């Protein structure tokens, strides 16, 4: 632990012209007394750390000293590619590796590029989870992520409806979609998608699997996501929409389905209304979504959904007179 802290201390001083004892203590999460002892140990080991006394003093490396401890390890390099997704890194247990990687890169940069990391961080940030959703990551995510990074087979128990099933998986990749983690894995020769929060137990095995070189995670996810979005649209509705309702339709239901329905609609009538055939997940979901359109939409089919909207309109009249 102390050896790693000493290396980090040198890298911090190498990436900046100087740092005060309190700054170093805050970065390394130790006391200033510990920093003083660490600096003394580095000096005794031949690393030229100089202490400037006084109110504006601090610690710095003398004579442009450069350490050779900046080579990136595999885990650090892989984590660096995800360093723009801090939430995802923390949830997969890679925050420390990413921090070390960024520090090594900063230490290896020319002095005039020393503010590159801070400059980028102040301009770009990805907030992956969706609004109004719990931020708690799946408990088993770090173990699954370890198996993905190391190409190790895993045995997982998976909650499906009211039962649990056990699967032997070859974990190929993780996807964070709308705050939900998904695992792309091969099982029995086929590639499938599993929600990580539905794993109830995971055992990472010692044996590795040979990755299929042709597997492309982004392309695979794009295809499966499109298939999934279409597969859940099992019901059909017919609506009449005002121009305002047509404009708002993609904002209350599946965007792709709404766009295709609007493109296939007949020309507007004399009042500007159009009739569209819209696929929906269920009639219950359609009721909740289309209710947001208010008087800008009239449900024509199916009859049971139209009846629900007629009832809602009657209740609204009773409430508002």
């Amino acid at each position: 632990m102390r050896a790693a802290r000493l290396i980090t201390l040198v890298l911090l001083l190498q990436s900046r012209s100087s740092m005060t004892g309190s700054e170093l203590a805050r970065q390394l999460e130790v006391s200033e007394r510990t920093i003083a002892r660490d600096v003394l140990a580095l000096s005794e080991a031949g690393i030229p750390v100089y202490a400037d006394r006084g109110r504006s003093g601090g610690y710095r490396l003398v004579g442009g000293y450069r350490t050779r401890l900046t080579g990136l390890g595999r885990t650090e390099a892989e984590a660096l590619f995800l360093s723009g997704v801090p939430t995802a890194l923390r949830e997969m247990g890679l925050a420390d590796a990413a921090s070390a990687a960024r520090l090594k890169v900063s230490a290896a940069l020319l002095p005039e590029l020393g503010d590159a990391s801070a400059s980028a961080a102040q301009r770009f940030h990805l907030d992956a989870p969706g609004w109004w959703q719990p931020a708690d990551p799946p408990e088993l995510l770090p173990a699954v992520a370890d198996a993905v990074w190391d190409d190790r087979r895993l045995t997982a128990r998976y909650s499906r409806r009211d039962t649990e099933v056990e699967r032997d998986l070859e974990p190929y990749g993780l996807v964070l979609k709308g705050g939900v983690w998904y695992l792309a894995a091969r099982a029995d020769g086929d590639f499938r998608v599993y929600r990580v929060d539905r794993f109830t137990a995971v055992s990472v095995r010692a044996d590795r699997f040979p990755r299929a070189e042709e597997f492309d995670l982004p392309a695979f996810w794009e295809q499966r996501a499109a298939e999934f979005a279409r597969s859940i649209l099992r019901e059909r509705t017919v609506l009449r929409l005002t121009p305002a309702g047509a404009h708002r339709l993609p904002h209350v239901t599946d965007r792709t389905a709404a766009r295709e329905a609007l493109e296939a609609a007949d020309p507007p009538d004399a009042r500007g209304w159009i009739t569209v055939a819209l696929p929906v997940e269920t009639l219950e979901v359609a009721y909740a979504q289309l209710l947001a359109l208010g008087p800008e939409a009239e449900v024509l089919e199916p009859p049971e959904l139209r009846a629900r909207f007629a009832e809602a309109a009657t209740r609204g009249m009773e409430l508002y007179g």
Side-chain angles (χ1 to χ4, degrees):
M1 176 66 74
R2 190 190 185 199
R5 188 175 70 242
L6 292 174
I7 292 172
T8 302
L9 195 157
V10 173
L11 292 173
L12 284 169
L13 293 178
Q14 184 172 310
S15 64
R16 308 184 190 183
S17 57
S18 69
M19 295 183 69
T20 65
S22 62
E23 290 173 334
L24 287 169
R26 185 167 57 254
Q27 285 276 352
L28 298 175
E29 299 181 347
V30 296
S31 66
E32 292 187 46
R33 185 181 296 274
T34 298
I35 294 296
R37 287 198 296 265
D38 286 350
V39 168
L40 179 60
L42 288 171
S43 297
E44 291 174 350
I47 296 178
V49 182
Y50 181 78
D52 290 317
R53 305 297 178 183
R55 178 175 299 179
S56 59
Y59 298 99
R60 60 185 175 85
L61 293 173
V62 178
Y65 176 84
R66 309 292 290 178
T67 178
R68 295 181 179 274
L69 298 173
T70 54
L72 289 175
R74 170 173 289 275
T75 302
E76 294 167 346
E78 290 169 336
L80 188 61
F81 287 102
L82 296 173
S83 60
V85 195
T87 303
L89 286 169
R90 285 196 302 272
E91 294 182 359
M92 289 191 293
L94 294 173
D96 290 342
S99 177
R102 286 193 295 269
L103 188 57
K104 288 183 177 182
V105 170
S106 296
L109 293 174
L110 295 173
E112 58 267 26
L113 298 178
D115 65 340
S117 176
S119 176
Q122 292 302 319
R123 287 166 173 78
F124 300 100
H125 175 69
L126 176 60
D127 184 10
W131 290 105
W132 305 295
Q133 294 184 8
D136 296 335
E139 182 179 350
L140 299 175
L141 177 61
V144 175
D146 285 344
V148 170
W149 286 122
D150 214 19
D151 294 339
R152 292 189 181 275
R153 291 184 172 88
L154 60 83
T155 301
R157 291 194 63 79
Y158 188 77
S159 176
R160 190 173 62 182
R161 299 184 181 89
D162 297 329
T163 63
E164 283 191 2
V165 296
E166 186 171 283
R167 293 285 185 268
D168 292 326
L169 304 176
E170 295 177 354
Y172 268 70
L174 284 163
V175 175
L176 179 60
K177 170 71 172 178
V180 179
W181 284 96
Y182 297 89
L183 173 68
R186 185 160 58 182
D188 301 325
D190 295 326
F191 285 101
R192 302 173 185 174
V193 175
Y194 301 86
R195 278 185 60 145
V196 179
D197 59 4
R198 292 182 181 168
F199 287 139
T200 59
V202 167
S203 175
V204 180
R205 291 158 48 178
D207 56 320
R208 290 184 170 88
F209 63 91
R211 290 181 69 90
E213 294 184 1
E214 68 276 10
F215 180 78
D216 183 331
L217 180 59
F220 169 79
W221 176 257
E222 182 178 2
Q223 177 186 354
R224 286 303 173 91
E227 291 174 355
F228 174 76
R230 291 185 176 278
S231 70
I232 64 174
L233 301 179
R234 299 170 183 170
E235 300 282 353
R236 178 179 177 273
T237 64
V238 178
L239 316 172
R240 291 182 68 238
L241 300 169
T242 68
H247 176 74
R248 290 168 53 190
L249 184 65
H251 300 283
V252 301
T253 188
D254 182 86
R255 288 180 179 271
T256 301
R259 185 179 67 250
E260 292 177 352
L262 292 171
E263 290 174 351
D266 291 332
D269 63 16
R271 297 172 57 197
W273 290 62
I274 61 172
T275 301
V276 300
L278 177 71
V280 294
E281 184 175 346
T282 65
L283 297 186
E284 187 67 33
V285 171
Y287 176 75
Q289 292 176 339
L290 300 176
L291 200 60
L293 297 179
E296 307 302 331
E298 177 190 2
V299 176
L300 302 179
E301 298 178 14
E304 58 267 38
L305 185 60
R306 179 178 175 86
R308 287 196 66 179
F309 273 85
E311 180 189 2
T314 301
R315 291 168 58 191
M317 285 291 293
E318 292 173 353
L319 286 173
Y320 297 103

